[in-house]
Amino acid sequence: MLDTHAVCDALINHFESHSGKHRKGVTTAGKHLGDKRNTDLTVLPNEVGLQGNEILKTYIDQLYECYKDYLLQWPFLGQTVGNLEIGPFSLVRYHAGDHFQKIHTERADLSTLHRILVWMTYLNDVEAGGSTYFSHYDIEVQPRQGLTLIWPAEWTHAHRGNILGTGSKYIITGWMHFPQ
């Protein structure tokens, strides 16, 4: 099994090697380059097991270990929701000056009601800007390679991505939701 840093590096390479599938500034509400300046590569769950995507399977297995730890910290969740699934998720790149600057929540309208948890892993260290800011708690998380965050998709965890000062920032992110 690869170590966490090697998995992060391999995910960045996977993103960069699939430039034909990149999209800019897309949210569930459409394209919003004023609010969200980045480049996404969307991955569908049924693509994880395809040849050439082995690193995605390796990452999802590591994410599951993080999820099990989250359930140990919040046992009520495991007793209440039962099994959760992962839907489409994204590998994302930000260049200097990019951001998801708008304070937002991951469960904001009828199309996102199924989302229970959000997950995000920083794929590289970031030195200048690029932090994730949770406005209700005044908490700012600086990206460090391999750091995975899991949080409720509710309004209680509204957040934004601060402007990246220099270099590039890579993340992988998605949602855990009720089974379809």
Side-chain angles (χ1 to χ4, degrees), residues 11 14-15 18 20-23 40-60 86-91 119 172-173:
L11 287 167
H14 185 84
F15 174 88
H18 290 82
K21 296 181 179 180
H22 290 178
R23 303 176 316 151
D40 288 273
L41 170 65
T42 299
V43 178
L44 302 176
N46 64 348
E47 296 173 333
V48 171
L50 297 177
Q51 185 175 1
N53 290 344
E54 291 82 6
I55 192 59
L56 298 173
K57 172 75 168 92
T58 299
Y59 171 77
I60 293 298
I86 292 176
F89 58 93
S90 297
L91 289 153
W119 51 269
I172 186 169
T173 187

PDB file of all heavy atoms in Angstrom, residues 11 14-15 18 20-23 40-60 86-91 119 172-173:
ATOM      1  N   LEU A  11      -2.492  11.292  -7.153  1.00  0.00           N
ATOM      2  CA  LEU A  11      -3.769  11.921  -7.497  1.00  0.00           C
ATOM      3  C   LEU A  11      -3.549  13.211  -8.292  1.00  0.00           C
ATOM      4  O   LEU A  11      -4.282  13.499  -9.243  1.00  0.00           O
ATOM      5  CB  LEU A  11      -4.601  12.187  -6.239  1.00  0.00           C
ATOM      6  CG  LEU A  11      -5.209  10.942  -5.597  1.00  0.00           C
ATOM      7  CD1 LEU A  11      -5.730  11.264  -4.199  1.00  0.00           C
ATOM      8  CD2 LEU A  11      -6.315  10.363  -6.466  1.00  0.00           C
ATOM      9  N   HIS A  14      -2.720  12.125 -11.703  1.00  0.00           N
ATOM     10  CA  HIS A  14      -3.944  11.668 -12.369  1.00  0.00           C
ATOM     11  C   HIS A  14      -4.726  12.867 -12.901  1.00  0.00           C
ATOM     12  O   HIS A  14      -5.186  12.866 -14.048  1.00  0.00           O
ATOM     13  CB  HIS A  14      -4.796  10.851 -11.394  1.00  0.00           C
ATOM     14  CG  HIS A  14      -6.008  10.248 -12.011  1.00  0.00           C
ATOM     15  ND1 HIS A  14      -5.991   9.058 -12.681  1.00  0.00           N
ATOM     16  CD2 HIS A  14      -7.290  10.699 -12.076  1.00  0.00           C
ATOM     17  CE1 HIS A  14      -7.196   8.779 -13.131  1.00  0.00           C
ATOM     18  NE2 HIS A  14      -8.004   9.767 -12.776  1.00  0.00           N
ATOM     19  N   PHE A  15      -4.891  13.894 -12.076  1.00  0.00           N
ATOM     20  CA  PHE A  15      -5.593  15.111 -12.497  1.00  0.00           C
ATOM     21  C   PHE A  15      -4.927  15.718 -13.725  1.00  0.00           C
ATOM     22  O   PHE A  15      -5.585  16.010 -14.726  1.00  0.00           O
ATOM     23  CB  PHE A  15      -5.609  16.125 -11.346  1.00  0.00           C
ATOM     24  CG  PHE A  15      -6.182  17.456 -11.732  1.00  0.00           C
ATOM     25  CD1 PHE A  15      -7.539  17.684 -11.637  1.00  0.00           C
ATOM     26  CD2 PHE A  15      -5.369  18.468 -12.198  1.00  0.00           C
ATOM     27  CE1 PHE A  15      -8.075  18.916 -12.007  1.00  0.00           C
ATOM     28  CE2 PHE A  15      -5.887  19.700 -12.567  1.00  0.00           C
ATOM     29  CZ  PHE A  15      -7.250  19.920 -12.477  1.00  0.00           C
ATOM     30  N   HIS A  18      -5.347  14.084 -17.205  1.00  0.00           N
ATOM     31  CA  HIS A  18      -6.695  14.015 -17.783  1.00  0.00           C
ATOM     32  C   HIS A  18      -7.221  15.415 -18.109  1.00  0.00           C
ATOM     33  O   HIS A  18      -8.380  15.748 -17.847  1.00  0.00           O
ATOM     34  CB  HIS A  18      -7.650  13.296 -16.820  1.00  0.00           C
ATOM     35  CG  HIS A  18      -7.375  11.840 -16.709  1.00  0.00           C
ATOM     36  ND1 HIS A  18      -6.394  11.322 -15.890  1.00  0.00           N
ATOM     37  CD2 HIS A  18      -7.927  10.780 -17.346  1.00  0.00           C
ATOM     38  CE1 HIS A  18      -6.369  10.013 -16.015  1.00  0.00           C
ATOM     39  NE2 HIS A  18      -7.284   9.655 -16.896  1.00  0.00           N
ATOM     40  N   GLY A  20      -8.183  16.811 -20.731  1.00  0.00           N
ATOM     41  CA  GLY A  20      -9.332  16.880 -21.637  1.00  0.00           C
ATOM     42  C   GLY A  20     -10.675  16.858 -20.924  1.00  0.00           C
ATOM     43  O   GLY A  20     -11.696  17.214 -21.509  1.00  0.00           O
ATOM     44  N   LYS A  21     -10.686  16.455 -19.659  1.00  0.00           N
ATOM     45  CA  LYS A  21     -11.925  16.394 -18.884  1.00  0.00           C
ATOM     46  C   LYS A  21     -12.048  17.546 -17.878  1.00  0.00           C
ATOM     47  O   LYS A  21     -12.978  17.574 -17.080  1.00  0.00           O
ATOM     48  CB  LYS A  21     -12.001  15.061 -18.130  1.00  0.00           C
ATOM     49  CG  LYS A  21     -12.080  13.851 -19.042  1.00  0.00           C
ATOM     50  CD  LYS A  21     -12.170  12.584 -18.223  1.00  0.00           C
ATOM     51  CE  LYS A  21     -12.282  11.352 -19.104  1.00  0.00           C
ATOM     52  NZ  LYS A  21     -12.379  10.120 -18.313  1.00  0.00           N
ATOM     53  N   HIS A  22     -11.125  18.492 -17.900  1.00  0.00           N
ATOM     54  CA  HIS A  22     -11.149  19.613 -16.951  1.00  0.00           C
ATOM     55  C   HIS A  22     -12.293  20.576 -17.265  1.00  0.00           C
ATOM     56  O   HIS A  22     -12.628  20.808 -18.421  1.00  0.00           O
ATOM     57  CB  HIS A  22      -9.826  20.379 -16.995  1.00  0.00           C
ATOM     58  CG  HIS A  22      -8.681  19.607 -16.419  1.00  0.00           C
ATOM     59  ND1 HIS A  22      -7.416  20.107 -16.403  1.00  0.00           N
ATOM     60  CD2 HIS A  22      -8.594  18.384 -15.843  1.00  0.00           C
ATOM     61  CE1 HIS A  22      -6.600  19.237 -15.841  1.00  0.00           C
ATOM     62  NE2 HIS A  22      -7.302  18.169 -15.506  1.00  0.00           N
ATOM     63  N   ARG A  23     -12.871  21.145 -16.183  1.00  0.00           N
ATOM     64  CA  ARG A  23     -13.921  22.171 -16.300  1.00  0.00           C
ATOM     65  C   ARG A  23     -13.553  23.321 -15.364  1.00  0.00           C
ATOM     66  O   ARG A  23     -12.999  23.096 -14.299  1.00  0.00           O
ATOM     67  CB  ARG A  23     -15.282  21.614 -15.889  1.00  0.00           C
ATOM     68  CG  ARG A  23     -15.705  20.404 -16.680  1.00  0.00           C
ATOM     69  CD  ARG A  23     -17.015  19.798 -16.191  1.00  0.00           C
ATOM     70  NE  ARG A  23     -17.058  19.717 -14.734  1.00  0.00           N
ATOM     71  CZ  ARG A  23     -18.176  19.766 -14.015  1.00  0.00           C
ATOM     72  NH1 ARG A  23     -19.337  19.899 -14.600  1.00  0.00           N
ATOM     73  NH2 ARG A  23     -18.151  19.670 -12.701  1.00  0.00           N
ATOM     74  N   ASP A  40     -11.746  21.795 -12.282  1.00  0.00           N
ATOM     75  CA  ASP A  40     -12.233  20.535 -11.714  1.00  0.00           C
ATOM     76  C   ASP A  40     -12.090  19.388 -12.706  1.00  0.00           C
ATOM     77  O   ASP A  40     -12.200  19.593 -13.913  1.00  0.00           O
ATOM     78  CB  ASP A  40     -13.742  20.631 -11.425  1.00  0.00           C
ATOM     79  CG  ASP A  40     -14.084  21.495 -10.263  1.00  0.00           C
ATOM     80  OD1 ASP A  40     -14.096  20.976  -9.149  1.00  0.00           O
ATOM     81  OD2 ASP A  40     -14.371  22.689 -10.472  1.00  0.00           O
ATOM     82  N   LEU A  41     -11.913  18.209 -12.157  1.00  0.00           N
ATOM     83  CA  LEU A  41     -12.034  16.954 -12.893  1.00  0.00           C
ATOM     84  C   LEU A  41     -13.031  16.106 -12.112  1.00  0.00           C
ATOM     85  O   LEU A  41     -12.742  15.671 -10.998  1.00  0.00           O
ATOM     86  CB  LEU A  41     -10.688  16.237 -12.992  1.00  0.00           C
ATOM     87  CG  LEU A  41     -10.711  14.805 -13.530  1.00  0.00           C
ATOM     88  CD1 LEU A  41     -11.169  14.776 -14.983  1.00  0.00           C
ATOM     89  CD2 LEU A  41      -9.356  14.156 -13.382  1.00  0.00           C
ATOM     90  N   THR A  42     -14.220  15.925 -12.658  1.00  0.00           N
ATOM     91  CA  THR A  42     -15.259  15.156 -11.978  1.00  0.00           C
ATOM     92  C   THR A  42     -15.064  13.673 -12.239  1.00  0.00           C
ATOM     93  O   THR A  42     -14.770  13.262 -13.365  1.00  0.00           O
ATOM     94  CB  THR A  42     -16.655  15.597 -12.453  1.00  0.00           C
ATOM     95  OG1 THR A  42     -16.822  16.977 -12.136  1.00  0.00           O
ATOM     96  CG2 THR A  42     -17.759  14.790 -11.784  1.00  0.00           C
ATOM     97  N   VAL A  43     -15.233  12.881 -11.179  1.00  0.00           N
ATOM     98  CA  VAL A  43     -15.114  11.430 -11.260  1.00  0.00           C
ATOM     99  C   VAL A  43     -16.443  10.823 -10.823  1.00  0.00           C
ATOM    100  O   VAL A  43     -16.953  11.155  -9.748  1.00  0.00           O
ATOM    101  CB  VAL A  43     -13.981  10.907 -10.349  1.00  0.00           C
ATOM    102  CG1 VAL A  43     -13.901   9.388 -10.418  1.00  0.00           C
ATOM    103  CG2 VAL A  43     -12.654  11.555 -10.699  1.00  0.00           C
ATOM    104  N   LEU A  44     -16.998   9.964 -11.647  1.00  0.00           N
ATOM    105  CA  LEU A  44     -18.220   9.250 -11.296  1.00  0.00           C
ATOM    106  C   LEU A  44     -17.861   7.986 -10.531  1.00  0.00           C
ATOM    107  O   LEU A  44     -16.817   7.370 -10.801  1.00  0.00           O
ATOM    108  CB  LEU A  44     -19.014   8.904 -12.553  1.00  0.00           C
ATOM    109  CG  LEU A  44     -19.412  10.091 -13.424  1.00  0.00           C
ATOM    110  CD1 LEU A  44     -20.104   9.616 -14.698  1.00  0.00           C
ATOM    111  CD2 LEU A  44     -20.287  11.054 -12.651  1.00  0.00           C
ATOM    112  N   PRO A  45     -18.706   7.566  -9.582  1.00  0.00           N
ATOM    113  CA  PRO A  45     -18.371   6.380  -8.778  1.00  0.00           C
ATOM    114  C   PRO A  45     -18.044   5.144  -9.607  1.00  0.00           C
ATOM    115  O   PRO A  45     -17.143   4.387  -9.254  1.00  0.00           O
ATOM    116  CB  PRO A  45     -19.634   6.158  -7.933  1.00  0.00           C
ATOM    117  CG  PRO A  45     -20.260   7.502  -7.843  1.00  0.00           C
ATOM    118  CD  PRO A  45     -19.960   8.184  -9.156  1.00  0.00           C
ATOM    119  N   ASN A  46     -18.738   4.937 -10.723  1.00  0.00           N
ATOM    120  CA  ASN A  46     -18.486   3.737 -11.526  1.00  0.00           C
ATOM    121  C   ASN A  46     -17.166   3.803 -12.293  1.00  0.00           C
ATOM    122  O   ASN A  46     -16.732   2.821 -12.871  1.00  0.00           O
ATOM    123  CB  ASN A  46     -19.650   3.454 -12.475  1.00  0.00           C
ATOM    124  CG  ASN A  46     -19.850   4.544 -13.511  1.00  0.00           C
ATOM    125  OD1 ASN A  46     -19.283   5.627 -13.416  1.00  0.00           O
ATOM    126  ND2 ASN A  46     -20.695   4.265 -14.490  1.00  0.00           N
ATOM    127  N   GLU A  47     -16.497   4.960 -12.291  1.00  0.00           N
ATOM    128  CA  GLU A  47     -15.200   5.093 -12.951  1.00  0.00           C
ATOM    129  C   GLU A  47     -14.041   4.695 -12.038  1.00  0.00           C
ATOM    130  O   GLU A  47     -12.935   4.455 -12.518  1.00  0.00           O
ATOM    131  CB  GLU A  47     -14.991   6.539 -13.413  1.00  0.00           C
ATOM    132  CG  GLU A  47     -15.969   6.993 -14.459  1.00  0.00           C
ATOM    133  CD  GLU A  47     -15.873   8.468 -14.780  1.00  0.00           C
ATOM    134  OE1 GLU A  47     -15.448   9.266 -13.913  1.00  0.00           O
ATOM    135  OE2 GLU A  47     -16.222   8.829 -15.911  1.00  0.00           O
ATOM    136  N   VAL A  48     -14.292   4.612 -10.736  1.00  0.00           N
ATOM    137  CA  VAL A  48     -13.218   4.324  -9.779  1.00  0.00           C
ATOM    138  C   VAL A  48     -12.564   2.980 -10.056  1.00  0.00           C
ATOM    139  O   VAL A  48     -11.350   2.844  -9.947  1.00  0.00           O
ATOM    140  CB  VAL A  48     -13.746   4.409  -8.322  1.00  0.00           C
ATOM    141  CG1 VAL A  48     -12.719   3.906  -7.325  1.00  0.00           C
ATOM    142  CG2 VAL A  48     -14.167   5.830  -7.992  1.00  0.00           C
ATOM    143  N   GLY A  49     -13.334   1.999 -10.444  1.00  0.00           N
ATOM    144  CA  GLY A  49     -12.795   0.665 -10.674  1.00  0.00           C
ATOM    145  C   GLY A  49     -12.234   0.419 -12.065  1.00  0.00           C
ATOM    146  O   GLY A  49     -11.748  -0.681 -12.346  1.00  0.00           O
ATOM    147  N   LEU A  50     -12.263   1.417 -12.925  1.00  0.00           N
ATOM    148  CA  LEU A  50     -11.775   1.225 -14.288  1.00  0.00           C
ATOM    149  C   LEU A  50     -10.252   1.177 -14.348  1.00  0.00           C
ATOM    150  O   LEU A  50      -9.569   1.802 -13.523  1.00  0.00           O
ATOM    151  CB  LEU A  50     -12.281   2.356 -15.195  1.00  0.00           C
ATOM    152  CG  LEU A  50     -13.787   2.461 -15.376  1.00  0.00           C
ATOM    153  CD1 LEU A  50     -14.133   3.667 -16.249  1.00  0.00           C
ATOM    154  CD2 LEU A  50     -14.360   1.179 -15.964  1.00  0.00           C
ATOM    155  N   GLN A  51      -9.743   0.475 -15.339  1.00  0.00           N
ATOM    156  CA  GLN A  51      -8.303   0.401 -15.541  1.00  0.00           C
ATOM    157  C   GLN A  51      -7.761   1.816 -15.750  1.00  0.00           C
ATOM    158  O   GLN A  51      -8.339   2.622 -16.460  1.00  0.00           O
ATOM    159  CB  GLN A  51      -7.978  -0.467 -16.748  1.00  0.00           C
ATOM    160  CG  GLN A  51      -6.499  -0.681 -16.940  1.00  0.00           C
ATOM    161  CD  GLN A  51      -6.208  -1.651 -18.079  1.00  0.00           C
ATOM    162  OE1 GLN A  51      -7.098  -2.155 -18.741  1.00  0.00           O
ATOM    163  NE2 GLN A  51      -4.934  -1.898 -18.289  1.00  0.00           N
ATOM    164  N   GLY A  52      -6.646   2.087 -15.098  1.00  0.00           N
ATOM    165  CA  GLY A  52      -6.048   3.423 -15.158  1.00  0.00           C
ATOM    166  C   GLY A  52      -6.472   4.319 -14.015  1.00  0.00           C
ATOM    167  O   GLY A  52      -5.902   5.394 -13.830  1.00  0.00           O
ATOM    168  N   ASN A  53      -7.475   3.889 -13.261  1.00  0.00           N
ATOM    169  CA  ASN A  53      -7.967   4.676 -12.133  1.00  0.00           C
ATOM    170  C   ASN A  53      -7.660   4.021 -10.789  1.00  0.00           C
ATOM    171  O   ASN A  53      -8.310   4.314  -9.784  1.00  0.00           O
ATOM    172  CB  ASN A  53      -9.479   4.901 -12.249  1.00  0.00           C
ATOM    173  CG  ASN A  53      -9.847   5.837 -13.371  1.00  0.00           C
ATOM    174  OD1 ASN A  53      -9.000   6.557 -13.887  1.00  0.00           O
ATOM    175  ND2 ASN A  53     -11.110   5.833 -13.760  1.00  0.00           N
ATOM    176  N   GLU A  54      -6.684   3.157 -10.750  1.00  0.00           N
ATOM    177  CA  GLU A  54      -6.373   2.422  -9.526  1.00  0.00           C
ATOM    178  C   GLU A  54      -6.083   3.357  -8.350  1.00  0.00           C
ATOM    179  O   GLU A  54      -6.438   3.059  -7.209  1.00  0.00           O
ATOM    180  CB  GLU A  54      -5.180   1.481  -9.753  1.00  0.00           C
ATOM    181  CG  GLU A  54      -5.472   0.329 -10.679  1.00  0.00           C
ATOM    182  CD  GLU A  54      -5.382   0.660 -12.168  1.00  0.00           C
ATOM    183  OE1 GLU A  54      -4.975   1.803 -12.518  1.00  0.00           O
ATOM    184  OE2 GLU A  54      -5.715  -0.209 -12.980  1.00  0.00           O
ATOM    185  N   ILE A  55      -5.472   4.512  -8.626  1.00  0.00           N
ATOM    186  CA  ILE A  55      -5.151   5.438  -7.539  1.00  0.00           C
ATOM    187  C   ILE A  55      -6.427   5.988  -6.898  1.00  0.00           C
ATOM    188  O   ILE A  55      -6.443   6.278  -5.701  1.00  0.00           O
ATOM    189  CB  ILE A  55      -4.220   6.583  -8.014  1.00  0.00           C
ATOM    190  CG1 ILE A  55      -3.672   7.352  -6.814  1.00  0.00           C
ATOM    191  CG2 ILE A  55      -4.922   7.504  -9.002  1.00  0.00           C
ATOM    192  CD1 ILE A  55      -2.876   6.531  -5.831  1.00  0.00           C
ATOM    193  N   LEU A  56      -7.482   6.101  -7.668  1.00  0.00           N
ATOM    194  CA  LEU A  56      -8.756   6.562  -7.095  1.00  0.00           C
ATOM    195  C   LEU A  56      -9.309   5.539  -6.115  1.00  0.00           C
ATOM    196  O   LEU A  56      -9.803   5.893  -5.042  1.00  0.00           O
ATOM    197  CB  LEU A  56      -9.769   6.843  -8.208  1.00  0.00           C
ATOM    198  CG  LEU A  56      -9.378   7.935  -9.204  1.00  0.00           C
ATOM    199  CD1 LEU A  56     -10.382   7.993 -10.349  1.00  0.00           C
ATOM    200  CD2 LEU A  56      -9.237   9.281  -8.530  1.00  0.00           C
ATOM    201  N   LYS A  57      -9.214   4.263  -6.467  1.00  0.00           N
ATOM    202  CA  LYS A  57      -9.658   3.193  -5.556  1.00  0.00           C
ATOM    203  C   LYS A  57      -8.816   3.194  -4.290  1.00  0.00           C
ATOM    204  O   LYS A  57      -9.340   3.075  -3.172  1.00  0.00           O
ATOM    205  CB  LYS A  57      -9.563   1.838  -6.273  1.00  0.00           C
ATOM    206  CG  LYS A  57      -9.807   0.630  -5.393  1.00  0.00           C
ATOM    207  CD  LYS A  57     -11.267   0.448  -5.051  1.00  0.00           C
ATOM    208  CE  LYS A  57     -11.561  -0.889  -4.419  1.00  0.00           C
ATOM    209  NZ  LYS A  57     -11.498  -0.889  -2.966  1.00  0.00           N
ATOM    210  N   THR A  58      -7.515   3.353  -4.439  1.00  0.00           N
ATOM    211  CA  THR A  58      -6.630   3.405  -3.278  1.00  0.00           C
ATOM    212  C   THR A  58      -7.020   4.568  -2.368  1.00  0.00           C
ATOM    213  O   THR A  58      -7.105   4.420  -1.150  1.00  0.00           O
ATOM    214  CB  THR A  58      -5.160   3.557  -3.721  1.00  0.00           C
ATOM    215  OG1 THR A  58      -4.813   2.408  -4.505  1.00  0.00           O
ATOM    216  CG2 THR A  58      -4.220   3.674  -2.532  1.00  0.00           C
ATOM    217  N   TYR A  59      -7.289   5.740  -2.974  1.00  0.00           N
ATOM    218  CA  TYR A  59      -7.691   6.898  -2.178  1.00  0.00           C
ATOM    219  C   TYR A  59      -9.019   6.644  -1.464  1.00  0.00           C
ATOM    220  O   TYR A  59      -9.147   6.927  -0.267  1.00  0.00           O
ATOM    221  CB  TYR A  59      -7.809   8.167  -3.035  1.00  0.00           C
ATOM    222  CG  TYR A  59      -8.434   9.275  -2.228  1.00  0.00           C
ATOM    223  CD1 TYR A  59      -7.681   9.970  -1.289  1.00  0.00           C
ATOM    224  CD2 TYR A  59      -9.783   9.572  -2.337  1.00  0.00           C
ATOM    225  CE1 TYR A  59      -8.262  10.929  -0.486  1.00  0.00           C
ATOM    226  CE2 TYR A  59     -10.371  10.532  -1.541  1.00  0.00           C
ATOM    227  CZ  TYR A  59      -9.604  11.212  -0.626  1.00  0.00           C
ATOM    228  OH  TYR A  59     -10.181  12.157   0.188  1.00  0.00           O
ATOM    229  N   ILE A  60     -10.018   6.109  -2.165  1.00  0.00           N
ATOM    230  CA  ILE A  60     -11.334   5.870  -1.551  1.00  0.00           C
ATOM    231  C   ILE A  60     -11.196   4.903  -0.377  1.00  0.00           C
ATOM    232  O   ILE A  60     -11.848   5.071   0.663  1.00  0.00           O
ATOM    233  CB  ILE A  60     -12.351   5.363  -2.599  1.00  0.00           C
ATOM    234  CG1 ILE A  60     -12.650   6.460  -3.623  1.00  0.00           C
ATOM    235  CG2 ILE A  60     -13.624   4.866  -1.940  1.00  0.00           C
ATOM    236  CD1 ILE A  60     -13.294   7.725  -3.079  1.00  0.00           C
ATOM    237  N   ILE A  86     -20.847   7.395  -1.634  1.00  0.00           N
ATOM    238  CA  ILE A  86     -20.129   8.502  -2.245  1.00  0.00           C
ATOM    239  C   ILE A  86     -20.627   8.634  -3.673  1.00  0.00           C
ATOM    240  O   ILE A  86     -20.669   7.655  -4.414  1.00  0.00           O
ATOM    241  CB  ILE A  86     -18.607   8.258  -2.219  1.00  0.00           C
ATOM    242  CG1 ILE A  86     -18.100   8.308  -0.787  1.00  0.00           C
ATOM    243  CG2 ILE A  86     -17.886   9.288  -3.096  1.00  0.00           C
ATOM    244  CD1 ILE A  86     -16.640   7.993  -0.640  1.00  0.00           C
ATOM    245  N   GLY A  87     -21.027   9.830  -4.027  1.00  0.00           N
ATOM    246  CA  GLY A  87     -21.473  10.104  -5.382  1.00  0.00           C
ATOM    247  C   GLY A  87     -20.316  10.635  -6.213  1.00  0.00           C
ATOM    248  O   GLY A  87     -19.145  10.407  -5.888  1.00  0.00           O
ATOM    249  N   PRO A  88     -20.628  11.373  -7.276  1.00  0.00           N
ATOM    250  CA  PRO A  88     -19.561  12.002  -8.056  1.00  0.00           C
ATOM    251  C   PRO A  88     -18.691  12.876  -7.157  1.00  0.00           C
ATOM    252  O   PRO A  88     -19.194  13.518  -6.231  1.00  0.00           O
ATOM    253  CB  PRO A  88     -20.320  12.851  -9.075  1.00  0.00           C
ATOM    254  CG  PRO A  88     -21.658  12.194  -9.189  1.00  0.00           C
ATOM    255  CD  PRO A  88     -21.953  11.662  -7.812  1.00  0.00           C
ATOM    256  N   PHE A  89     -17.405  12.880  -7.422  1.00  0.00           N
ATOM    257  CA  PHE A  89     -16.489  13.719  -6.639  1.00  0.00           C
ATOM    258  C   PHE A  89     -15.505  14.378  -7.587  1.00  0.00           C
ATOM    259  O   PHE A  89     -15.517  14.110  -8.788  1.00  0.00           O
ATOM    260  CB  PHE A  89     -15.787  12.904  -5.546  1.00  0.00           C
ATOM    261  CG  PHE A  89     -14.998  11.729  -6.036  1.00  0.00           C
ATOM    262  CD1 PHE A  89     -13.644  11.846  -6.317  1.00  0.00           C
ATOM    263  CD2 PHE A  89     -15.594  10.489  -6.187  1.00  0.00           C
ATOM    264  CE1 PHE A  89     -12.900  10.760  -6.761  1.00  0.00           C
ATOM    265  CE2 PHE A  89     -14.870   9.386  -6.624  1.00  0.00           C
ATOM    266  CZ  PHE A  89     -13.516   9.523  -6.914  1.00  0.00           C
ATOM    267  N   SER A  90     -14.686  15.275  -7.055  1.00  0.00           N
ATOM    268  CA  SER A  90     -13.823  16.075  -7.916  1.00  0.00           C
ATOM    269  C   SER A  90     -12.390  16.139  -7.428  1.00  0.00           C
ATOM    270  O   SER A  90     -12.145  16.264  -6.229  1.00  0.00           O
ATOM    271  CB  SER A  90     -14.344  17.508  -8.015  1.00  0.00           C
ATOM    272  OG  SER A  90     -15.613  17.546  -8.607  1.00  0.00           O
ATOM    273  N   LEU A  91     -11.487  16.076  -8.368  1.00  0.00           N
ATOM    274  CA  LEU A  91     -10.107  16.508  -8.169  1.00  0.00           C
ATOM    275  C   LEU A  91     -10.087  17.961  -8.630  1.00  0.00           C
ATOM    276  O   LEU A  91     -10.668  18.290  -9.671  1.00  0.00           O
ATOM    277  CB  LEU A  91      -9.151  15.680  -9.004  1.00  0.00           C
ATOM    278  CG  LEU A  91      -8.962  14.239  -8.539  1.00  0.00           C
ATOM    279  CD1 LEU A  91      -8.568  13.345  -9.692  1.00  0.00           C
ATOM    280  CD2 LEU A  91      -7.915  14.200  -7.462  1.00  0.00           C
ATOM    281  N   TRP A 119     -16.344  15.773   2.419  1.00  0.00           N
ATOM    282  CA  TRP A 119     -14.959  15.350   2.673  1.00  0.00           C
ATOM    283  C   TRP A 119     -14.043  16.075   1.701  1.00  0.00           C
ATOM    284  O   TRP A 119     -14.427  16.418   0.591  1.00  0.00           O
ATOM    285  CB  TRP A 119     -14.798  13.837   2.577  1.00  0.00           C
ATOM    286  CG  TRP A 119     -15.337  13.216   1.330  1.00  0.00           C
ATOM    287  CD1 TRP A 119     -16.600  12.722   1.141  1.00  0.00           C
ATOM    288  CD2 TRP A 119     -14.647  13.012   0.091  1.00  0.00           C
ATOM    289  NE1 TRP A 119     -16.720  12.220  -0.144  1.00  0.00           N
ATOM    290  CE2 TRP A 119     -15.539  12.392  -0.807  1.00  0.00           C
ATOM    291  CE3 TRP A 119     -13.348  13.282  -0.350  1.00  0.00           C
ATOM    292  CZ2 TRP A 119     -15.197  12.035  -2.095  1.00  0.00           C
ATOM    293  CZ3 TRP A 119     -13.002  12.933  -1.642  1.00  0.00           C
ATOM    294  CH2 TRP A 119     -13.917  12.311  -2.492  1.00  0.00           C
ATOM    295  N   ILE A 172      -8.948  16.882  -3.345  1.00  0.00           N
ATOM    296  CA  ILE A 172      -9.962  15.940  -3.820  1.00  0.00           C
ATOM    297  C   ILE A 172     -11.111  16.098  -2.844  1.00  0.00           C
ATOM    298  O   ILE A 172     -10.897  16.178  -1.631  1.00  0.00           O
ATOM    299  CB  ILE A 172      -9.420  14.495  -3.923  1.00  0.00           C
ATOM    300  CG1 ILE A 172     -10.459  13.571  -4.549  1.00  0.00           C
ATOM    301  CG2 ILE A 172      -8.915  13.984  -2.590  1.00  0.00           C
ATOM    302  CD1 ILE A 172      -9.917  12.197  -4.932  1.00  0.00           C
ATOM    303  N   THR A 173     -12.334  16.204  -3.370  1.00  0.00           N
ATOM    304  CA  THR A 173     -13.468  16.529  -2.507  1.00  0.00           C
ATOM    305  C   THR A 173     -14.759  15.922  -3.034  1.00  0.00           C
ATOM    306  O   THR A 173     -14.899  15.681  -4.240  1.00  0.00           O
ATOM    307  CB  THR A 173     -13.613  18.065  -2.360  1.00  0.00           C
ATOM    308  OG1 THR A 173     -14.602  18.362  -1.389  1.00  0.00           O
ATOM    309  CG2 THR A 173     -13.945  18.737  -3.678  1.00  0.00           C
TER     310      THR A 173
END
